[in-house]
Amino acid sequence: MNSPSEMTMPRRQSLGKDITDLMKLAWPMIIVAIAVSFSQNIQTAILGHGSETGSIYLLSMLQPFSFLFLAILECLAITNQVFSARSLNLWSRQKVLKATSLLATLGILIVALLSGATALCSSLLQAMLPVAGNEFYASALPLYFLSMLPFIQLEMCNSALRGQGKSALSMVLVIAYIVLNALLCYACYQFYGLGFYSIIVANSLASALLIPVALWLVWRIGRNVKDDRPGAFIARLSGLLFQVGMPIFASLVVLFFSSLLIFPLIGTLGEQYVAGFLIVTKIRMFIVIPAVACGSALAILINQRLAISTGEELKRLLHRGLTFIGIFYLLLTSGVYFTEASLIKILSGDKTIQDVSSQMLLILLPTFFLTSFVASLQALLEQLDQARRVLVLTVIIELLTVITLLVGWGNFSQLKSIMNIIIIFNVIYFIAFGREYWRLANKIGSGNVL
């Protein structure tokens, strides 16, 4: 009879299989993530190449508040994704549609209330955080939140599909949304002259048209499947919401507040620096968002293998997957270096802004790798029951960032000093989350921490 070591030897040689399984999950998610990033830049390009500047200004002012919406969306979507992934082997798939519907309803209610509260408190918000004109808090921001309500339902369906390993189906839905959004935005802006409100129409209609198909795909997951423990549904879903979802929400809310400081600080150097930093941020997010997809794909794979793999096998999968992601992002960062001029020209036709953007990008180039790798680690840790620790680290580091910015506000009179602060805190994030990764890997190796 074979000894345990002999029986497990083939698994230890399965580097190719681990990477292949990861890529089967990751490549559709990466394409979707790149497409989502690209779609956000399409909206910027459509409004940015118009004859008026009011629309692009309003869109720029939405950026910090998009973190607030993202906090709500990711809290619910990641919760649903983990629930769906664990239903593949740990429990019945029958309740995937029910979980998707409940979380979507919760998200729609929260964002609708947020929209109403923003409109009611528009005068107070304008006094606290002034924006040129009086329409931003009274109409533009509330309508933006409302326009994203259908997208919440669509993204809940996508998260359920991703959790089941059906990333290709999710990819088709998201790309369809992006194409519809871009076409609607362009038509509304160029032919109907709706200005900023082209974004509102495009966001709402593009999602609403795809919801019936998305719901049907999720319904098929649990069709003709029985649940042997129906009473455990609420406990499982609420447990994941509080253990996984809420820490993600809190982490992103902290980022929302810190983002409100960095733009005004750079604004003290001149308007062209604000525009340049926005462009660099857009390009960096274009790179970072796929990193979240890579980390999520690795987390989904581990969640799917919880019931069928040993701790040592999960540990090897972690190391192999993260090494692959690291190499991929080193190559991607190198690509940004060689194409930075072309990337900047896509988003701006102004020579002064192009020069400022290029200067900033070259200084911040190390953060393209650091931020991406940390984002991948964060997504991985959050979906492997480490969300609370991620939250604590994020709050501590962001508070240190805010304190540093506030205390040293008067001393940051040069571009390089501000950029150095950003780089320093990226390194701190990298060290902190790297340590958390090794802690998780070691615990899995010695006993299944999940």
Side-chain angles (χ1 to χ4, degrees), residues 1 55 85 144 167 192 210 245 263 265 277 291 298 329-330 356 437:
M1 187 173 66
S55 298
Y144 165 74
S167 299
Y192 296 97
L210 294 170
F263 274 92
L265 178 59
F277 186 69
L298 183 55
Y329 267 91
L330 283 173
V356 170
Y437 166 78

Side-chain angles (χ1 to χ4, degrees), residues 29 74 77-79 81-82 85-86 240 244 248 292-293 295-300 302-303 306 377-387 390 450:
M29 296 172 68
E74 287 299 295
I78 296 300
T79 298
Q81 182 171 291
V82 175
R86 295 189 180 181
L240 287 175
V244 177
I248 292 173
V292 178
S296 292
L298 183 55
I300 289 171
I302 295 212
N303 275 311
L306 284 180
L377 280 175
Q378 185 170 355
L380 175 68
L381 291 167
E382 284 173 340
Q383 296 178 57
L384 296 180
D385 291 348
Q386 307 301 305
V390 169
L450 304 181

Side-chain angles (χ1 to χ4, degrees), residues 116-174:
T118 302
L120 290 173
C121 301
S122 58
S123 299
L124 177 62
L125 290 170
Q126 179 66 24
M128 294 174 60
L129 300 167
V131 175
N134 296 318
E135 63 174 320
F136 181 72
Y137 294 113
S139 61
L141 184 57
L143 285 175
Y144 165 74
F145 284 135
L146 289 178
S147 74
M148 299 306 291
L149 296 184
F151 184 75
I152 294 173
Q153 177 66 72
L154 182 63
E155 180 56 21
M156 291 308 111
C157 293
N158 281 326
S159 65
L161 293 172
R162 290 193 298 267
Q164 290 290 307
K166 302 180 185 296
S167 299
L169 285 176
S170 175
M171 176 187 69
V172 172
L173 282 175
V174 174

Side-chain angles (χ1 to χ4, degrees), residues 214-268:
L215 284 172
W216 177 73
L217 290 172
V218 176
W219 170 76
R220 292 177 68 231
I221 292 173
R223 183 182 54 178
N224 300 326
V225 177
K226 293 184 178 181
D227 188 357
D228 57 346
R229 293 188 61 196
F233 168 69
I234 294 299
R236 289 167 175 168
L237 187 62
S238 60
L240 287 175
L241 182 60
F242 285 102
Q243 293 174 15
V244 177
M246 290 305 295
I248 292 173
F249 170 78
S251 298
L252 288 171
V253 167
V254 172
L255 291 175
F256 160 68
F257 285 109
S258 64
S259 69
L260 291 177
L261 286 178
I262 192 68
F263 274 92
L265 178 59
I266 293 176
T268 60

Side-chain angles (χ1 to χ4, degrees), residues 360-420:
M360 286 184 173
L361 190 148
L362 292 176
I363 295 173
L364 292 176
L365 188 64
T367 69
F368 280 66
F369 172 77
L370 293 173
T371 303
S372 299
F373 200 73
V374 168
S376 184
L377 280 175
Q378 185 170 355
L380 175 68
L381 291 167
E382 284 173 340
Q383 296 178 57
L384 296 180
D385 291 348
Q386 307 301 305
R388 291 181 182 177
R389 296 183 66 86
V390 169
L391 170 60
V392 171
L393 282 175
T394 302
V395 169
I396 291 173
I397 296 173
E398 288 300 319
L399 282 177
L400 288 173
T401 305
V402 169
I403 292 170
T404 302
L405 292 175
L406 290 175
V407 172
W409 189 279
N411 298 321
F412 298 135
S413 58
Q414 295 183 348
L415 175 64
K416 196 167 184 179
S417 61
I418 300 174
M419 299 297 101
N420 285 338

Side-chain angles (χ1 to χ4, degrees), residues 39-49 56 59 282 347:
S39 72
Q40 294 173 351
N41 290 330
I42 286 177
Q43 290 184 340
T44 302
I46 291 173
L47 271 60
H49 286 81
I56 191 66
L59 182 62
K282 286 285 187 180
L347 296 178

Side-chain angles (χ1 to χ4, degrees), residues 31 43 57 77 80 90 165 249 275 342 370 373 410 441:
I31 291 176
Q43 290 184 340
Y57 173 74
N80 199 41
L90 289 179
F249 170 78
S342 300
L370 293 173
F373 200 73

